[in-house]
Amino acid sequence: MVQGEAERLVEEIRVFGIEEIGLKAWTKQHQVIEKLNMQAQISVMNQSDEYVVEALIDHEKISTLIHCLIVCEVWKDTVLVKVQQDLASSHYVKLYLIMYHEAVILGLLEKAFYHSSAVSMAGDSLIELSDYCYRKTVYLNSFHSDTEEESPKRDQILNMKDIERLEEQKKKIDFSCAISALTVLRFIVENAETVPISVLSRLLTEQMMHRGLG
């Protein structure tokens, strides 16, 4: 992906409502964000110009990505649980794609937040993101080594029903997102001097984030 294409794609990113998730336009944007995330990863690995991140900052799309992340989480927590039983067999790929979208957005934010300018550009939307990160720390702290289930073996996966495979994929994506959220949270804390005081208040007082990480 060349820089000009990245600029164009970033400029078109917008927030979709919950009712739009999974539709054609939403799916197209998912593909765009996934492509941008892959290019951002390549830039990091090659230690080259990170023009995807620069475009996100220049076009003020950091807050947009955060809002997209929250909408996707809400859809997963409120809509998916109601439809997965009936749609797992007929729309497995689509349901997986929507779950995976959360991980893709978070991966792109993770790369962007390595740069302090991206953190400061997020502004008040960092409150939403800090709340998200808090929920993920609660999720991680709910794990207990003596109760964790072993990952299913290949032959077990092949014999799973679609709904069982979907639930297994959801577990993996949830865990991956939680780990990435810790990295994002670290970047926010490291840039405490540039984030709104309301964000620090949320992290240190209202949510007692430091206890969640303990």
Side-chain angles (χ1 to χ4, degrees):
M1 179 191 297
V2 297
Q3 184 170 355
E5 182 185 6
E7 291 271 356
R8 178 181 59 80
L9 293 177
V10 165
E11 195 169 6
E12 295 175 354
I13 294 176
R14 69 176 180 88
V15 178
F16 285 84
I18 291 179
E19 69 282 357
E20 297 177 283
I21 289 183
L23 298 181
K24 185 176 180 179
W26 179 92
T27 302
K28 181 180 178 181
Q29 178 160 291
H30 164 77
Q31 294 169 345
V32 165
I33 294 177
E34 186 173 27
K35 191 174 182 179
L36 291 169
N37 185 46
M38 291 177 61
Q39 179 57 53
Q41 179 64 33
I42 291 172
S43 295
V44 170
M45 293 175 61
N46 294 338
Q47 297 183 339
S48 56
D49 185 14
E50 296 186 47
Y51 51 80
V52 169
V53 173
E54 292 174 2
L56 291 171
I57 296 172
D58 292 343
H59 292 287
E60 300 182 355
K61 294 296 183 177
I62 298 297
S63 294
T64 303
L65 284 178
I66 293 173
H67 293 154
C68 289
L69 176 71
I70 302 304
V71 170
C72 189
E73 181 197 27
V74 171
W75 186 93
K76 188 180 67 178
D77 291 342
T78 60
V79 179
L80 178 63
V81 294
K82 296 179 180 179
V83 303
Q84 61 182 10
Q85 191 69 44
D86 295 328
L87 300 181
S89 295
S90 58
H91 293 79
Y92 177 87
V93 174
K94 177 67 73 173
L95 294 178
Y96 171 79
L97 191 69
I98 297 172
M99 293 192 302
Y100 178 60
H101 187 63
E102 181 182 356
V104 175
I105 296 174
L106 195 56
L108 187 53
L109 284 171
E110 187 178 358
K111 297 173 187 67
F113 273 33
Y114 180 79
H115 305 273
S116 58
S117 54
V119 178
S120 59
M121 179 61 68
D124 289 336
S125 62
L126 283 176
I127 295 178
E128 292 180 89
L129 186 57
S130 65
D131 286 346
Y132 173 89
C133 291
Y134 172 73
R135 291 190 290 273
K136 296 307 179 184
T137 61
V138 172
Y139 165 81
L140 286 175
N141 283 338
S142 69
F143 277 97
H144 299 285
S145 58
D146 56 339
T147 59
E148 285 184 33
E149 298 180 0
E150 292 185 3
S151 297
K153 295 180 172 57
R154 184 174 181 275
D155 58 336
Q156 292 176 311
I157 294 176
L158 291 175
N159 292 323
M160 279 182 174
K161 297 179 180 178
D162 289 328
I163 183 61
E164 293 173 331
R165 287 209 308 273
L166 191 69
E167 289 173 346
E168 188 64 30
Q169 291 296 335
K170 182 178 181 297
K171 290 179 184 178
K172 293 179 179 180
I173 292 172
D174 285 346
F175 185 78
S176 174
C177 287
I179 297 299
S180 293
L182 289 181
T183 303
V184 169
L185 176 62
R186 177 170 66 86
F187 289 141
I188 294 174
V189 173
E190 288 178 351
N191 290 276
E193 69 280 359
T194 65
V195 304
I197 190 65
S198 55
V199 176
L200 297 180
S201 176
R202 187 67 63 93
L203 291 174
L204 301 177
T205 306
E206 297 177 15
Q207 298 179 334
M208 299 298 286
M209 180 66 78
H210 55 293
R211 289 188 179 181
L213 293 175

